[in-house]
Amino acid sequence: MTTSSDFDGRSVVITGAGSGIGRAAALQFARAGAKVVLADVNAEAVKTVAEEVVAAAGVAVAVAGDLTEPGVVGEVVATAVNSFGGLDALVCNAGIMDSMSAAADVSDDEWDRLLGVNLTAPFRLTRAALPHLLARKGAIVYTASEASLRGSAAGAAYTAAKTGLVGLMRSVAVTYRDAGLRANAVAPGGTRTGISASPDPAALGPQVVGRYLPNMGRVAEAGEPAAAIVFLASPAASNITGVVLPVDNGWSAV
């Protein structure tokens, strides 16, 4: 259980912080005492969330940009180090949804964009942040997905990207365990966020995946997976690393 002082004096980077799970996590980290760097492709949205944090007596800096651009990745990490003297936790939360396309129907553009945002950007952020996180024996939390646990929750591109993200997390967890760094992932099920899909209901992928979506159960509020993220980054999870934590109303048990 995290408390209102668990992150006092600690700095946290949160991507995809302009809405949904990222916004909810930003507010929860700030309430627990963290100084937060908020990154999002939507400049106005991330500025608004930073203002919310400050209005609630928190400390926040906003960085706007597309995380598929290496320069933006460097800016995000440098902002945390220069603003707050270091980095204690990285939350790789930014993501986009696919059109639930079957593999034969995925275009190169959709594949490249999905993997770029959902897998390559978190990798680059991890690589850039590692020296600073290792210096403080910090933590990384990745927002994976129910689609990283099963093949019936999204299309081929999203499923591949989020499954790859779990593989990245496990590699980081094992490689840096003895150095005191922890890495974990949450796997949200259906959650009310700004991410949406626009599938063609007549296409094979949406037809097949649609058969299984009723197993999803209750749709979560963004604050529920956010609370799991904050927990995994906190001292309360000090002996937890390499774990994928479903936050899915039991969908993964069906």
Side-chain angles (χ1 to χ4, degrees):
M1 179 178 178
T2 56
T3 70
S4 60
S5 61
D6 272 350
F7 289 91
D8 279 354
R10 301 188 185 194
S11 67
V12 181
V13 164
I14 307 157
T15 69
S19 63
I21 295 170
R23 172 185 173 274
L27 294 169
Q28 291 184 30
F29 273 114
R31 283 197 293 270
K35 300 173 182 179
V36 294
V37 174
L38 311 179
D40 200 280
V41 70
N42 186 322
E44 190 60 35
V46 75
K47 178 176 178 287
T48 298
V49 176
E51 290 170 350
E52 287 184 77
V53 170
V54 172
V59 179
V61 178
V63 178
D66 187 335
L67 289 168
T68 62
E69 298 176 9
V72 175
V73 169
E75 181 185 359
V76 169
V77 174
T79 298
V81 174
N82 295 335
S83 299
F84 305 133
L87 181 59
D88 296 280
L90 170 64
V91 178
C92 292
N93 169 75
I96 56 174
M97 186 63 179
D98 65 8
S99 55
M100 296 195 175
S101 298
D105 301 322
V106 178
S107 69
D108 285 350
D109 286 346
E110 181 178 27
W111 180 266
D112 291 344
R113 182 64 178 162
L114 262 292
L115 267 71
V117 173
N118 293 348
L119 181 56
T120 303
F123 159 69
R124 288 175 173 161
L125 274 164
T126 299
R127 184 175 60 186
L130 270 169
H132 308 288
L133 292 168
L134 288 167
R136 295 195 174 186
K137 299 187 186 315
I140 306 175
V141 183
Y142 301 92
T143 300
S145 167
E146 186 73 18
S148 67
L149 306 175
R150 61 177 70 243
S152 57
Y158 187 85
T159 300
K162 290 298 188 177
T163 302
L165 190 63
V166 168
L168 172 64
M169 177 275 291
R170 287 175 171 150
S171 177
V172 171
V174 170
T175 304
Y176 298 102
R177 179 180 64 176
D178 291 345
L181 177 80
R182 296 185 301 106
N184 293 288
V186 295
T191 308
R192 298 186 202 283
T193 71
I195 298 177
S196 60
S198 300
D200 175 0
L204 176 63
Q207 284 185 351
V208 173
V209 172
R211 300 173 196 164
Y212 300 99
L213 292 182
N215 291 329
M216 180 189 305
R218 179 176 69 85
V219 175
E221 299 300 327
E224 294 176 286
I229 289 170
V230 175
F231 164 70
L232 287 173
S234 77
S238 60
N239 198 37
I240 301 174
T241 192
V243 164
V244 182
L245 177 60
V247 188
D248 64 358
N249 193 39
W251 189 7
S252 54
V254 176

